[in-house]
Amino acid sequence: MAGSFGLTLTLGATAGAAYLLSAALGHDFPVDHRQIHGHTQVFGFAGLLAIGLVEAALPAGLRAEPRKMPRATFGLFLSAILLRNVCQPFAAFPLARLGVVLSAALLLAGTVIVVSYVAFLLGEARPSPHGGARRLALASAATSAYLVLAVGLNALQALWIAAGRGSALPRPLTESFSDASLSGGLLAAGFTLGLRLAPSLGRPAVKRRLVARALALQAAGVGLALTSWLPPLAAPLSIALRDGGQLLVAAAVLLYLRATGLASSRGTRPVAEPSLRVSDTAVRLSFSMLGLWAAIQAATVALARWTPLAVRNRWWEDATRHLFTVGFVTLLVVGAAGRLAPFLFGRPLASGVQQRASVALVASGALLRLFEYPAIAWPPLLSAASVMGIPVVAGLALLARNLSRTARTAPRGA
């Protein structure tokens, strides 16, 4: 958890905020720097945090015996991320290219450990009365598969750089990685975390068959999207496959939300403890933003097919991607941190006020990024979108401080 927040508050979210502000002022950062930002957020912020939560919460969710993750996992992931940040911008030099390849190898080694750990837990899982363990096991297996896929594409990126073709990766390698890591891994991880949190949010009666269908639709959608980036395909077929993949993933999201009800508070009772109450609100808001993301994905395909509007433009793609990464993933992290604090530390978050501020700041940052949609007609609105990184970084910094205070004051043995 400390490594995750340390990376995002330096090389991840903070660097992304600087790049966005710089671009708004007319001083764009190199493409390779923006690509490293994405790599750090996926494997550093989300990846390391997921590893910690898997060890802390997955055994209990699967009704398996507690089991420690091998210590080498953290070192392998952290070393891989730092090496990629240091070496990719200097890919003109042979030693830096070697560093990028070594980074991919370390990440692969860490992934083998994580997948083996999850596979062992899945083998030890015990049936639960309502089938919750089976749903969680299915979502965890899907997340592991997407992680392997994303790490494999990361290895292809490393080989491309190692071949001396420059430090900036081509669009097919970055977009296919995005499909595997965002629409695949992070979405499946969000599904998994949602299933783990559902009982505590007053949603114990999750519809198992609909969850399984949602995961199947997601797999089909990601498969079509990845196929669309294969070099031999003609442009019309590639676009058709990508559109089909986006529609299937959007359908998977809407089906999952219907199966779990995590985007709604209807029929639930708010808890009395302030930090838990605002954390529950954050989780529901994150899944609401996921639903909005899915609707925008589907609407983009429809508008591109049936209207002359240039909806496949850089600003709209950027806004849609950050609605997912900030509005869904980051806000879910904030909410889940508050909801899991009693389980992790033996007590709720130290400050309910700070948690409320974290939720408000991250949510406002996600909404500010949506100004990129109307900015296609009114470019001055881009200035509003360009400051979104500031509240997001501030919200994450507050959450990190809140978690630190909670850990320091946790009961002994927690």
Side-chain angles (χ1 to χ4, degrees):
M1 194 176 293
S4 168
F5 280 92
L7 284 170
T8 197
L9 291 174
T10 52
L11 300 171
T14 302
Y19 300 156
L20 189 60
L21 284 171
S22 176
L25 295 173
H27 305 287
D28 212 358
F29 270 76
V31 174
D32 54 9
H33 284 59
R34 299 198 298 271
Q35 292 171 350
I36 295 169
H37 156 71
H39 180 276
T40 303
Q41 287 295 86
V42 169
F43 292 122
F45 176 49
L48 285 179
L49 191 61
I51 289 171
L53 291 178
V54 162
E55 181 182 14
L58 189 59
L62 295 175
R63 299 165 60 87
E65 293 296 325
R67 178 182 174 87
K68 288 189 176 295
M69 184 87 69
R71 285 190 176 186
T73 313
F74 173 75
L76 289 168
F77 268 74
L78 182 62
S79 301
I81 294 159
L82 293 177
L83 263 177
R84 182 65 173 265
N85 274 270
V86 170
C87 294
Q88 184 172 340
F90 303 100
F93 302 98
L95 186 60
R97 295 198 294 272
L98 179 62
V100 171
V101 174
L102 178 59
S103 167
L106 292 173
L107 195 61
L108 179 60
T111 300
V112 169
I113 296 175
V114 172
V115 172
S116 300
Y117 175 88
V118 173
F120 181 86
L121 289 180
L122 295 179
E124 295 290 311
R126 301 172 187 171
S128 58
H130 304 290
R134 285 194 296 270
R135 293 190 294 269
L136 191 61
L138 182 61
S140 300
T143 305
S144 299
Y146 291 123
L147 173 61
V148 171
L149 195 56
V151 169
L153 287 165
N154 176 75
L156 289 179
Q157 292 179 345
L159 292 176
W160 194 93
I161 292 174
R165 297 174 179 173
S167 61
L169 295 162
R171 181 175 170 81
L173 279 178
T174 57
E175 292 299 324
S176 58
F177 174 77
S178 178
D179 289 330
S181 59
L182 302 188
S183 298
L186 292 185
L187 181 57
F191 285 172
T192 305
L193 187 55
L195 292 173
R196 183 70 178 89
L197 294 172
S200 60
L201 269 71
R203 300 296 183 196
V206 173
K207 298 175 182 177
R208 181 171 61 86
R209 291 184 179 179
L210 290 186
V211 170
R213 291 173 187 170
L215 291 169
L217 281 175
Q218 181 198 10
V222 172
L224 284 181
L226 290 174
T227 303
S228 73
W229 295 107
L230 292 175
L233 295 180
L237 177 58
S238 176
I239 293 173
L241 288 171
R242 185 159 181 78
D243 286 350
Q246 288 180 347
L247 290 175
L248 286 175
V249 172
V253 167
L254 298 177
L255 192 60
Y256 175 88
L257 294 179
R258 180 185 172 193
T260 60
L262 285 170
S264 171
S265 61
R266 183 181 300 175
T268 63
R269 294 181 179 179
V271 296
E273 207 286 321
S275 70
L276 292 180
R277 187 168 61 249
V278 71
S279 297
D280 290 352
T281 300
V283 172
R284 294 189 182 98
L285 182 57
S286 73
F287 280 101
S288 297
M289 290 201 181
L290 178 63
L292 177 61
W293 173 80
I296 289 175
Q297 288 277 82
T300 299
V301 173
L303 289 172
R305 289 285 172 181
W306 298 328
T307 72
L309 297 175
V311 295
R312 291 191 176 101
N313 60 77
R314 177 183 172 184
W315 289 355
W316 282 31
E317 289 177 355
D318 187 67
T320 304
R321 180 176 284 117
H322 283 84
L323 176 61
F324 180 90
T325 57
V326 178
F328 171 54
V329 176
T330 307
L331 196 56
L332 179 59
V333 166
V334 176
R339 174 41 78 176
L340 293 175
F343 177 79
L344 297 173
F345 304 116
R347 58 157 295 180
L349 288 175
S351 173
V353 173
Q354 285 187 10
Q355 177 67 345
R356 190 177 299 110
S358 295
V359 172
L361 286 166
V362 172
S364 63
L367 295 176
L368 280 172
R369 198 62 175 250
L370 299 184
F371 278 104
E372 284 188 298
Y373 290 113
I376 198 71
W378 298 284
L381 289 176
L382 192 62
S383 299
S386 67
V387 301
M388 63 84 61
I390 297 174
V392 172
V393 171
L396 289 173
L398 277 178
L399 177 61
R401 185 172 185 273
N402 208 355
L403 287 169
S404 177
R405 287 178 59 192
T406 308
R408 287 199 304 269
T409 56
R412 288 185 178 182

